[in-house]
Amino acid sequence: MKKAFIALVVLILAAAGSVGAFIAVKNGKDKEKQQASKVLAENELFSFDPYSPTKIVFSKGDEVYEVEKQGDQWVLTSGEFEMDQNYCQLVCTYFSDLTAETNYGEITDEKLDMYGLTDTDTIEITEPNGTHTLKIGDASPMGDYYYVTADGRDKIYAISYMEGSVLKLDRLLLKNKKLLPYTLYDIKEVIAAKDGKTTLDLIYDPDTQKWSLPDEYSTLQVDPTQITTVLNNLVRIESEEMLDEKLEDLSKYGHDKPYGELTVKGTDGTERHLLVSLNEDQPDYCIVLFDDGQAELYYKADLSIVDKTPYDFIVQTITAADKLNTKELKLSYNGNNDTFSIDTDNDKCVVNGKEIAIDNVDNYVAFDNFFKAASIFNLSGLDIEAKPELKDPVMTAEFTCNDGSTVKMDLVKRDDSTLYVFKDGKYTGGYVDETSLKGRTSLSEFYIKFRKIAGF
């Protein structure tokens, strides 16, 4: 019994020791947490709603930029340039819960000098609860931090390098980085040029709410979807990097001999003129020079409009007729003159007086392919300045519609590989490749196949 009692006492003492050890460890951890919380609280510099600020002031020495919130836009009070709205909001977001990585104790003149805090970048943000000020000094030797002081705090702090680089004054960060100051609905004309010659002119008519090309392209159908797609992308573009301000030496980036030019006119009477140059060292980029001398870097693909021509913005097929609405086709081609009377309602086609049934798959497909080859012309390019005569056409197709109206198409030799396209006796301004008449999937092939079925 005595031994059992002694064993029990030992267990109790051991348990008491374990509890004591546990309590000691727990107390130690609690102290560590308290200490960590205290340090964290010491390093919390600002805390407010990131969308509440109404004013930001960036300054360094005599350079001062005062920015105010007007409605939902940040505006530079001097009006010198438009502000980058995304950057202003980023500054407010970073500032609103800024916490230092560490601190270096109380402020002394020696420390201020040591950490570059005697001649600082200063940022002041005003929100409903007051104005908060941050002074930014040097970066740490390893580039991990920026040294700062904050209003109402008596210590020197270190914030992350990324936050410091965003908050330090950089005029180019402040400036709006959008290529254009317009929305799609604010543009009335876009002009591209190369070597001083206009290569593209897109014109918007606010009355009809339609885009068009100059009058010389009036015989061609404009593709409004393609225009709005390209311009909608154009108004969204932002620069990848802000380069020189007030560039005087145009040869620095090749703007003395620009690759292209772009002029965009707004409905408000303003316009923006841009010079675009390329750089062999950065083939995926181009450099844009604005009228105020600002040079900026953009993706070349984003400014492909300087390489586009009217051909890119037209419907690149000319359709003369639809077989369902056509009652007669007269075709002169390859020394033959044939007349096709078409009755699709009854699945019949009379060729030179001979009736052909097109109610089976083979005959219908042969007829359909032939009709499309004779009525649909896929343009391969434009030649607006040409003045071809309608003389000795290689092919003539005349369609009589169910309502009695007619459409006549003529192809006239342009060179060894292309043909001018005429519609109703007038040159359309476009040309087709000769392969539309000869070779696989051409008029010749489908014409011969249908003639065989027709038995002539």
Side-chain angles (χ1 to χ4, degrees):
M1 178 65 72
K2 186 175 181 180
K3 289 182 178 179
F5 178 75
I6 293 171
L8 179 60
V9 170
V10 170
L11 287 173
I12 291 172
L13 291 173
S18 297
V19 170
F22 172 76
I23 293 172
V25 170
K26 183 178 184 302
N27 288 339
K29 289 185 176 180
D30 287 344
K31 288 180 180 180
E32 287 179 7
K33 287 182 180 179
Q34 290 173 1
Q35 184 64 28
S37 298
K38 182 179 178 181
V39 171
L40 183 62
E42 287 181 349
N43 292 343
E44 286 181 351
L45 303 183
F46 307 108
S47 180
F48 55 83
D49 179 355
Y51 297 97
S52 65
T54 56
K55 183 178 178 180
I56 311 172
V57 179
F58 303 88
S59 63
K60 184 176 178 64
D62 295 332
E63 189 177 7
V64 180
Y65 301 93
E66 184 179 281
V67 187
E68 292 184 345
K69 193 73 170 290
Q70 297 182 6
D72 60 352
Q73 296 290 306
W74 288 101
V75 178
L76 186 65
T77 56
S78 69
E80 183 183 359
F81 52 79
E82 293 183 16
M83 292 296 298
D84 185 322
Q85 302 298 314
N86 291 332
Y87 174 69
C88 290
Q89 186 55 55
L90 180 63
V91 166
C92 293
T93 300
Y94 274 14
F95 212 95
S96 66
D97 64 349
L98 188 62
T99 299
E101 302 286 335
T102 186
N103 73 72
Y104 297 93
E106 293 187 0
I107 297 172
T108 65
D109 291 341
E110 183 181 2
K111 287 181 180 179
L112 291 176
D113 187 58
M114 180 188 303
Y115 297 122
L117 288 162
T118 54
D119 181 20
T120 64
D121 293 74
T122 301
I123 179 170
E124 301 172 43
I125 292 186
T126 300
E127 49 96 14
N129 292 322
T131 297
H132 311 286
T133 304
L134 185 75
K135 295 181 182 294
I136 306 170
D138 293 341
S140 64
M142 298 299 292
D144 299 327
Y145 308 116
Y146 269 102
Y147 304 115
V148 302
T149 58
D151 61 323
R153 300 301 186 98
D154 61 357
K155 291 182 174 61
I156 290 176
Y157 299 91
I159 62 174
S160 74
Y161 186 88
M162 182 180 68
E163 290 172 324
S165 61
V166 168
L167 298 173
K168 276 176 66 71
L169 173 59
D170 185 334
R171 178 183 166 93
L172 294 183
L173 286 179
L174 301 179
K175 297 182 75 171
N176 185 358
K177 296 163 189 64
K178 292 190 69 175
L179 179 74
L180 299 173
Y182 311 114
T183 69
L184 178 62
Y185 308 101
D186 299 325
I187 298 176
K188 72 171 185 180
E189 189 171 11
V190 178
I191 303 168
K194 286 188 177 181
D195 299 323
K197 182 179 179 181
T198 297
T199 53
L200 176 68
D201 190 357
L202 300 173
I203 306 158
Y204 182 73
D205 185 339
D207 294 329
T208 62
Q209 297 186 348
K210 292 181 178 179
W211 286 94
S212 66
L213 293 163
D215 290 342
E216 57 265 36
Y217 298 92
S218 59
T219 57
L220 299 165
Q221 183 182 350
V222 171
D223 184 346
T225 301
Q226 182 63 15
I227 293 176
T228 54
T229 297
V230 171
L231 296 186
N232 201 35
N233 289 333
L234 192 67
V235 298
R236 297 171 184 268
I237 296 172
E238 292 190 0
S239 67
E240 295 302 308
E241 184 179 349
M242 304 290 277
L243 304 176
D244 298 41
E245 274 194 306
K246 300 179 181 178
L247 182 69
E248 295 182 358
D249 180 8
L250 298 186
S251 65
K252 180 176 181 179
Y253 299 114
H255 291 109
D256 53 333
K257 297 178 181 179
Y259 175 75
E261 298 179 52
L262 190 66
T263 301
V264 182
K265 298 181 180 181
T267 55
D268 59 358
T270 63
E271 66 178 64
R272 179 159 287 188
H273 180 247
L274 314 171
L275 295 180
V276 181
S277 70
L278 304 182
N279 189 329
E280 293 181 356
D281 297 331
Q282 295 178 294
D284 293 332
Y285 295 89
C286 63
I287 300 169
V288 175
L289 180 64
F290 295 79
D291 283 334
D292 62 358
Q294 176 69 57
E296 301 177 10
L297 188 71
Y298 289 83
Y299 280 116
K300 181 182 176 183
D302 286 343
L303 280 161
S304 62
I305 191 169
V306 298
D307 290 317
K308 294 189 181 297
T309 67
Y311 177 73
D312 296 298
F313 297 103
I314 64 167
V315 177
Q316 296 174 2
T317 59
I318 297 177
T319 301
D322 183 336
K323 66 178 182 293
L324 297 178
N325 297 320
T326 301
K327 65 179 181 180
E328 185 178 78
L329 163 60
K330 292 181 178 180
L331 180 66
S332 296
Y333 174 61
N334 207 22
N336 298 301
N337 295 290
D338 301 307
T339 300
F340 304 81
S341 298
I342 303 166
D343 183 359
T344 53
D345 290 339
N346 296 301
D347 297 322
K348 294 178 182 179
C349 179
V350 178
V351 184
N352 298 337
K354 182 179 179 180
E355 185 175 305
I356 306 297
I358 53 175
D359 57 353
N360 65 67
V361 173
D362 290 341
N363 287 10
Y364 181 83
V365 169
F367 169 73
D368 185 61
N369 287 338
F370 158 68
F371 189 90
K372 287 178 178 176
S375 62
I376 299 175
F377 303 84
N378 297 310
L379 298 179
S380 54
L382 302 180
D383 190 356
I384 293 297
E385 295 180 359
K387 306 294 181 184
E389 294 182 42
L390 180 48
K391 183 179 180 181
D392 301 324
V394 175
M395 185 220 74
T396 298
E398 185 172 357
F399 303 84
T400 301
C401 301
N402 292 334
D403 62 4
S405 61
T406 61
V407 178
K408 184 181 179 184
M409 304 297 298
D410 292 284
L411 299 181
V412 174
K413 193 172 182 64
R414 177 174 179 259
D415 54 34
D416 290 340
S417 61
T418 57
L419 302 147
Y420 291 117
V421 181
F422 286 79
K423 184 176 182 180
D424 292 329
K426 184 178 180 180
Y427 174 49
T428 62
Y431 57 86
V432 295
D433 195 271
E434 195 175 41
T435 56
S436 63
L437 294 183
K438 298 178 181 180
R440 289 186 58 80
T441 67
S442 68
L443 177 60
S444 290
E445 179 178 338
F446 296 130
Y447 182 45
I448 291 170
K449 286 182 178 179
F450 187 64
R451 280 173 63 92
K452 286 182 179 178
I453 287 175
F456 65 95

